[in-house]
Each structure stands twice: as structure tokens, then as C-alpha cells.
Amino acid sequence: QNKKKKMPPKKEVAEDKVLLGRPGNNVKAGIVGYPNVGKSSLFNILCNMQVRAENFPFCTIDPTVSRVALPDERFDYLVKVFKPEKEIPAYLTVTDIAGLIRGAHNGEGLGNAFLSHINACDAIYHVVRVFDDPDILHVEDEINPIRDMQVISDELRFKDLDMLSQSISKLEKDVTRSNDKGKKEELEFYKKIHEYMTAGKEVRFGEWNLKEIDMLNDLSLLTAKPVIYLLNLSEEDYIKKKNKWLPKIAAWLKENKPGEPIIPFSIKFEEKVAAMTPEEKEEFCKSVSAKSALPKMITTGYEKLGLINYFTCGPVEVRSWSIKKYTKAPQAAAVIHTDFEKFFIMAEVMGYEDFAKHGSEAAVVAAGKLQQRGKEYVVQSGDILHIKHNAGGAGKKK
């Protein structure tokens, strides 16, 4: 009797995922909004939170760019356990973009320059003025946050439509000349996006397949970038957590931009606590039952950029490394050094939760929780990695 041989189980291969947005880890968020809404004041506070320059010896930091340390309790815990000589957190790069106004896509104000600065960013912090102050002028003369949000959104969409129209004209000429099948497909898709956006929609809310996402990423449209709305309230309203505009803004966003985060804050409150000692800050925040919104801004920006972080730990250095979600182990290793991807052997992986539970590497090993993973392993947020590689010799570890 012939028994059927059991087939060995198929080797698990992680499915490649494509995210909307620029690939790579060198991504940044831009602060945009009308003039006089608190953008530069917010940026100045973020500059005071900048990661120490000695961690970036080969970088000249532009005065309009700030690298802000990512608040991460896991990193703080690992530093406490390993007591390293050097600690380097993950960071979020934030850039300050001068005020946009109505008509910016036609070059009003310094419109075109500002829009090209936004194009160099991968996510947008849209600062919206919700406070009243007769001493601070509003370019539209009256406070209306919903109008302001709509105007800025429209300016970005109009700029995308202008750019798409130019691309469509060029492609039409190419298709007429060459009858290239790939270019024909591209042209059809560009027309599809143009129609979609002419109807008032923004690219990031569309349903796109993987091939279309690849084409969108090549286009680098402004309305493909995720937006986080930062609502700048008066200090009093922020502490009371009340303002007549908040429910209206929430309803408008739910209808027009579903799923986009809103973070109320007060620049006056942030400036006040930024000038305090840690003890004074803790006491003051407790007395008014309010806390700084900056940590939430930073972590939300990091998540919206599609970033997660993993750790390398030892007595010399504890370091947090930023990678895009769904990154496989060899590509995650390349963030440390490109040779580590080229000569990758495997990764020894400890989950952060396992490490926190057992308290040391030896205890994690004893509990059988240290895993050896190959090239297809998708790195998870909080993984503690030892990369084994052949760069410059056999089986070295990082």
C-alpha cells in the first residue's frame, strides 16, 4: 500500500509591503500653517529638546531643522539596566516651513518656495490657530480654524493638480511618439488621480493597489503625506480642555479627513513649562491638571512617518535605531552599517517584553526566549537585536 509522502511545510516568507510615502529611514516632518499661528514658537521649543550634536558628528544641522529625541520608556529602561557609557535615542527630524497663504500654489507670498520645502518632507504638522488675541494679527482678519484648514488643504491639492497636469501633458507626447505600453498605463493612472483630486479629494484617502502606490511614491504628491493637526489654544482653554471650536473641528475632520490625528496644545503653556526646572514643571502640571503635549506630538509624528525602532544594547552603548514598518532583518541591519546587510548571517532577537519580564540577557536565554532569525524575519518594534555578519571577518556580532 503506497502511502503518500508528506510534503515538508512551505518555508515561511514574509510578504513585502509597500507603504505610501518615500522609502528609507531618513524621513522628516514639516510644520506648516498660516503666518502668526505659533509655528516658529513651537519649532523653537522643539529645538530646545534637540538630540545632542555629538551624536551626529558628520551632520551640519540646518537652522530650520531640529532633531528631537523620541520619548520612549523602553529605551529609558534599557539605559537603566545596561548603564552604558553612551546612550543614543531614536529621533524625529522636524523642519520649520514659513507661513503659507491663500494663493500659494500660484506663487502668492513666497508660495512656490514654501511648497517645495513641504515636498521635501514626509509628514505634515499643520498648526491651526484656535486662540483669540487682538495683538496678534490673522491674515484673514478673523479666527476661523476650519476655513484655515480648508485653505491650506486646497493649496496643497491645487499644487498637486498643477504638477499632475504638467506630467500628463508630457506623457501624452511620449505615448504619441513611442506607443510604450508602460507609459500608457502610467498616463491612464495619472488621469485617474487627476479626476479623483479635481473632485476635491486627497491622495492619502484613496484606495490604491501596490502598483499604484509605487507610481504615487514616484510622484511624491503633497496630498499623499500624512497630516497631524496641532490646535493652538489659549493657555486658559488648554488647561480647561474647552473651546467652542474643538467639537466643530473634530466633526469637520471626521467628515472630510477621517482618521487624521488632532492634538490640542497651547504655545503659551509650552513656553511656560519649557522655562521651568523638572521639579517646578511637575508641580505646576499637577496643580493645573494639564501636561505638555510635545511628547504626544513627537510620538504621533514618528508613527505617521511609518517608523518603528529596535535596540542594540551593551555596556558601551544603548542605541535606538529607526526603521520603516515591515523592514526585514538584513535591511534593518543596514541602518547600522551597509556591510551588515551585505554580509548578514542572522539576527539574535530578544523581544523587549521578554527582556523586561526576565531582567537580563542571561535570564532571557535561560527562559528559551532568545530567537535566531534569518533574512526573512520582519523586525518588530522594540526588538533587541544582535546582528551576526561576515563583514571584515567571520561571524561578528553587533
Side-chain angles (χ1 to χ4, degrees), residues 20 189 192-193 196 201-214 216 258:
L20 191 57
F189 180 58
K192 177 181 166 182
I193 313 167
Y196 178 84
K201 296 172 185 170
E202 292 166 285
V203 166
R204 66 189 177 281
F205 298 114
E207 292 284 327
W208 315 108
N209 62 37
L210 292 183
K211 195 174 181 182
E212 289 174 335
I213 288 174
D214 271 334
L216 282 170

Short mmCIF file of all heavy atoms in Angstrom, two decimals, residues 20 189 192-193 196 201-214 216 258:
data_model
loop_
_atom_site.label_atom_id
_atom_site.label_comp_id
_atom_site.label_asym_id
_atom_site.label_seq_id
_atom_site.Cartn_x
_atom_site.Cartn_y
_atom_site.Cartn_z
N LEU A 20 2.59 53.97 1.45
CA LEU A 20 2.52 55.24 0.72
C LEU A 20 3.53 56.19 1.35
O LEU A 20 3.54 56.39 2.55
CB LEU A 20 1.10 55.81 0.85
CG LEU A 20 0.73 57.00 -0.05
CD1 LEU A 20 0.93 56.67 -1.52
CD2 LEU A 20 -0.71 57.41 0.19
N PHE A 189 -3.25 56.10 -15.28
CA PHE A 189 -3.31 56.26 -13.82
C PHE A 189 -3.23 57.73 -13.42
O PHE A 189 -3.96 58.17 -12.54
CB PHE A 189 -2.18 55.45 -13.15
CG PHE A 189 -2.18 55.57 -11.65
CD1 PHE A 189 -3.31 55.21 -10.90
CD2 PHE A 189 -1.08 56.07 -10.96
CE1 PHE A 189 -3.33 55.33 -9.51
CE2 PHE A 189 -1.09 56.20 -9.59
CZ PHE A 189 -2.22 55.83 -8.86
N LYS A 192 -6.48 59.23 -13.84
CA LYS A 192 -7.38 58.74 -12.78
C LYS A 192 -7.19 59.56 -11.50
O LYS A 192 -8.15 59.99 -10.86
CB LYS A 192 -7.09 57.25 -12.53
CG LYS A 192 -7.89 56.62 -11.40
CD LYS A 192 -7.49 55.15 -11.24
CE LYS A 192 -7.99 54.54 -9.95
NZ LYS A 192 -7.57 53.13 -9.80
N ILE A 193 -5.91 59.81 -11.13
CA ILE A 193 -5.64 60.61 -9.92
C ILE A 193 -6.12 62.05 -10.12
O ILE A 193 -6.67 62.66 -9.21
CB ILE A 193 -4.13 60.69 -9.56
CG1 ILE A 193 -3.45 59.34 -9.61
CG2 ILE A 193 -3.92 61.27 -8.18
CD1 ILE A 193 -1.94 59.45 -9.57
N TYR A 196 -9.75 62.21 -9.61
CA TYR A 196 -10.02 61.98 -8.18
C TYR A 196 -9.79 63.27 -7.38
O TYR A 196 -10.61 63.67 -6.56
CB TYR A 196 -9.08 60.87 -7.69
CG TYR A 196 -9.18 60.52 -6.22
CD1 TYR A 196 -10.14 59.63 -5.75
CD2 TYR A 196 -8.28 61.07 -5.29
CE1 TYR A 196 -10.21 59.30 -4.40
CE2 TYR A 196 -8.35 60.74 -3.94
CZ TYR A 196 -9.32 59.85 -3.51
OH TYR A 196 -9.39 59.52 -2.18
N LYS A 201 -10.79 65.54 -3.55
CA LYS A 201 -10.25 64.50 -2.66
C LYS A 201 -8.73 64.57 -2.62
O LYS A 201 -8.10 65.08 -3.53
CB LYS A 201 -10.70 63.12 -3.15
CG LYS A 201 -12.21 62.93 -3.09
CD LYS A 201 -12.58 61.63 -3.76
CE LYS A 201 -14.10 61.45 -3.82
NZ LYS A 201 -14.47 60.32 -4.68
N GLU A 202 -8.18 64.00 -1.53
CA GLU A 202 -6.72 63.99 -1.36
C GLU A 202 -6.21 62.56 -1.46
O GLU A 202 -6.84 61.62 -0.98
CB GLU A 202 -6.37 64.62 -0.01
CG GLU A 202 -6.67 66.11 0.01
CD GLU A 202 -6.65 66.70 1.41
OE1 GLU A 202 -7.60 66.47 2.17
OE2 GLU A 202 -5.68 67.38 1.73
N VAL A 203 -5.03 62.43 -2.07
CA VAL A 203 -4.49 61.13 -2.45
C VAL A 203 -4.41 60.13 -1.29
O VAL A 203 -4.70 58.95 -1.46
CB VAL A 203 -3.08 61.32 -3.08
CG1 VAL A 203 -2.32 60.02 -3.18
CG2 VAL A 203 -3.24 61.92 -4.47
N ARG A 204 -4.06 60.63 -0.09
CA ARG A 204 -3.84 59.69 1.02
C ARG A 204 -5.13 58.99 1.48
O ARG A 204 -5.07 58.02 2.22
CB ARG A 204 -3.17 60.41 2.19
CG ARG A 204 -3.99 61.48 2.86
CD ARG A 204 -3.14 62.28 3.86
NE ARG A 204 -3.88 63.37 4.46
CZ ARG A 204 -4.11 64.53 3.89
NH1 ARG A 204 -3.70 64.75 2.66
NH2 ARG A 204 -4.79 65.48 4.52
N PHE A 205 -6.29 59.48 1.04
CA PHE A 205 -7.55 58.84 1.44
C PHE A 205 -8.06 57.85 0.39
O PHE A 205 -9.11 57.25 0.56
CB PHE A 205 -8.62 59.90 1.72
CG PHE A 205 -8.25 60.82 2.85
CD1 PHE A 205 -8.00 62.17 2.62
CD2 PHE A 205 -8.11 60.33 4.14
CE1 PHE A 205 -7.64 63.02 3.66
CE2 PHE A 205 -7.74 61.18 5.19
CZ PHE A 205 -7.51 62.51 4.94
N GLY A 206 -7.32 57.70 -0.70
CA GLY A 206 -7.78 56.80 -1.78
C GLY A 206 -7.42 55.35 -1.49
O GLY A 206 -6.59 55.04 -0.64
N GLU A 207 -8.08 54.44 -2.22
CA GLU A 207 -7.76 53.01 -2.16
C GLU A 207 -6.89 52.70 -3.37
O GLU A 207 -7.36 52.75 -4.51
CB GLU A 207 -9.06 52.18 -2.22
CG GLU A 207 -9.95 52.31 -1.01
CD GLU A 207 -9.42 51.53 0.19
OE1 GLU A 207 -8.80 50.47 -0.03
OE2 GLU A 207 -9.59 52.00 1.33
N TRP A 208 -5.63 52.36 -3.15
CA TRP A 208 -4.70 52.12 -4.25
C TRP A 208 -4.07 50.74 -4.13
O TRP A 208 -3.77 50.30 -3.02
CB TRP A 208 -3.59 53.19 -4.27
CG TRP A 208 -4.08 54.60 -4.08
CD1 TRP A 208 -3.93 55.37 -2.97
CD2 TRP A 208 -4.84 55.39 -5.01
NE1 TRP A 208 -4.52 56.60 -3.15
CE2 TRP A 208 -5.09 56.65 -4.38
CE3 TRP A 208 -5.32 55.18 -6.31
CZ2 TRP A 208 -5.80 57.67 -5.02
CZ3 TRP A 208 -6.01 56.21 -6.94
CH2 TRP A 208 -6.24 57.43 -6.29
N ASN A 209 -3.85 50.08 -5.27
CA ASN A 209 -3.16 48.78 -5.20
C ASN A 209 -1.64 49.01 -5.14
O ASN A 209 -1.16 50.14 -5.24
CB ASN A 209 -3.56 47.88 -6.39
CG ASN A 209 -3.16 48.47 -7.73
OD1 ASN A 209 -2.10 49.08 -7.86
ND2 ASN A 209 -4.01 48.28 -8.74
N LEU A 210 -0.87 47.91 -4.97
CA LEU A 210 0.58 48.04 -4.77
C LEU A 210 1.27 48.75 -5.93
O LEU A 210 2.16 49.58 -5.72
CB LEU A 210 1.21 46.66 -4.55
CG LEU A 210 0.84 45.94 -3.25
CD1 LEU A 210 1.58 44.64 -3.12
CD2 LEU A 210 1.15 46.81 -2.02
N LYS A 211 0.87 48.41 -7.15
CA LYS A 211 1.49 49.02 -8.33
C LYS A 211 1.21 50.53 -8.35
O LYS A 211 2.08 51.35 -8.66
CB LYS A 211 0.94 48.35 -9.59
CG LYS A 211 1.77 48.65 -10.83
CD LYS A 211 1.28 47.85 -12.02
CE LYS A 211 2.12 48.13 -13.25
NZ LYS A 211 1.63 47.40 -14.42
N GLU A 212 -0.04 50.89 -8.01
CA GLU A 212 -0.42 52.30 -7.99
C GLU A 212 0.33 53.06 -6.89
O GLU A 212 0.75 54.20 -7.08
CB GLU A 212 -1.94 52.43 -7.80
CG GLU A 212 -2.73 51.99 -9.03
CD GLU A 212 -4.25 51.96 -8.80
OE1 GLU A 212 -4.68 51.81 -7.62
OE2 GLU A 212 -4.99 52.08 -9.78
N ILE A 213 0.52 52.38 -5.73
CA ILE A 213 1.27 53.02 -4.63
C ILE A 213 2.70 53.31 -5.07
O ILE A 213 3.26 54.37 -4.79
CB ILE A 213 1.23 52.16 -3.34
CG1 ILE A 213 -0.18 52.22 -2.73
CG2 ILE A 213 2.25 52.65 -2.31
CD1 ILE A 213 -0.42 51.31 -1.55
N ASP A 214 3.30 52.36 -5.81
CA ASP A 214 4.66 52.58 -6.35
C ASP A 214 4.69 53.82 -7.24
O ASP A 214 5.60 54.64 -7.16
CB ASP A 214 5.13 51.36 -7.15
CG ASP A 214 5.84 50.34 -6.25
OD1 ASP A 214 6.37 50.77 -5.21
OD2 ASP A 214 5.84 49.15 -6.57
N LEU A 216 2.53 56.33 -7.23
CA LEU A 216 2.28 57.52 -6.40
C LEU A 216 3.55 57.95 -5.67
O LEU A 216 3.84 59.13 -5.54
CB LEU A 216 1.17 57.23 -5.37
CG LEU A 216 -0.27 57.26 -5.90
CD1 LEU A 216 -1.22 56.71 -4.85
CD2 LEU A 216 -0.68 58.68 -6.30
N PRO A 258 -11.04 61.62 7.57
CA PRO A 258 -11.20 60.60 8.61
C PRO A 258 -9.88 59.97 9.03
O PRO A 258 -9.03 59.68 8.19
CB PRO A 258 -12.13 59.58 7.96
CG PRO A 258 -12.06 59.83 6.49
CD PRO A 258 -11.75 61.28 6.34
#
